Amino acid sequence: MLQRLFLLLIALGLCACTVRPRGGGSDDDDASDDDDSARDDDDAADDDDAADDDDAADDDDAVDDDDATPPFDLGCAVPTTIDDSIFAIQNGDTSGLVVLEGVVVVHVRDNGMFVQEPAAGACSGLWVYTGAAPDAAVGESWDIEGMVGDYLGFTEVDASKGSYTFTGATPGPPPPSPVSLGWLQPDVAEPWEGVVVSVQGVQVSSIPTEASFWEWEVTDGSAAVVVDDFLFDVTTVRTPEEGDAVVSLIGIVNYSFEAYKIAPRRPTDVTIVAQ
């Protein structure tokens, strides 16, 4: 009898040892924790998706802002300012479509015109290509709209698909800018391209010939510059001879065949005294 009771107590003690304490986690609890973690991950993912959606919406708004129609349409591009300047173009501060207001005509050709800012000086001149002969006269003030470009190394504004309009004013051409021949050498002359310049006290150092394409050269003793027949052929009035004194030489600075040249526009631009 005592033996049976002892065996029953041992059995009851073994059963009590197999019961998990309340502080421990069960498999079900772990599963619940996994579910909670999964929900947390899902919630985080949802938050991320929502954030991504918000970012995407912001990006869409940014694209919409970039694609917004400009307040005016000039046909090609919108310049930073309505009134650009030749100074800014020649200095490289503006490009693309430009609008020049009140520039003055200094020479007219059958496919365009040379214009200058009234203030004259370095970087004030420009060739405007119009395609057809413009109905313009020297000394008139014009508004020009066109694209800045480069033709054979010479800066220009192509207004053939833009516009060129006479303002109604005739202020007269700006005076020639006095320069020395040293300023017209290849490495320093670019600011003077398209500008009406004047030089004095030089001599003829080479004469116009067929081999020189009827161009000739002047020197001041330290530098030399070619005189171009691009706009006017001086030999139709007088053929320069070597050693002749050029009392006055006025012309537009042209660029061709990798050289800057002075291009007289008419007979009064050149005064030569035989020696």
Side-chain angles (χ1 to χ4, degrees), residues 102-200:
V103 294
V104 181
V105 178
V106 295
H107 189 75
V108 181
R109 288 178 58 80
D110 59 4
N111 63 345
M113 52 188 170
F114 284 95
V115 298
Q116 277 190 235
E117 295 286 353
C123 298
S124 67
L126 187 71
W127 166 248
V128 177
Y129 175 73
T130 57
D135 185 18
V138 172
E140 293 179 343
S141 175
W142 283 66
D143 294 340
I144 311 290
E145 178 188 314
M147 295 294 296
V148 175
D150 185 278
Y151 183 73
L152 299 178
F154 198 82
T155 303
E156 68 171 21
V157 165
D158 184 350
S160 62
K161 297 180 181 178
S163 66
Y164 41 101
T165 308
F166 178 41
T167 66
T170 308
S177 299
V179 299
S180 70
L181 298 186
W183 297 0
L184 301 181
Q185 300 309 298
D187 55 341
V188 294
E190 187 171 1
W192 297 103
E193 69 174 28
V195 178
V196 178
V197 300
S198 67
V199 296
Q200 296 179 338

Side-chain angles (χ1 to χ4, degrees), residues 12-26:
L12 289 173
L14 290 173
C15 290
C17 289
T18 62
V19 176
R20 294 182 182 274
R22 291 183 181 272
S26 67

Side-chain angles (χ1 to χ4, degrees), residues 35-50:
D35 289 343
D36 290 341
S37 298
R39 289 192 196 97
D40 291 341
D41 291 340
D42 290 341
D43 290 342
D46 290 341
D47 290 341
D48 290 340
D49 291 341

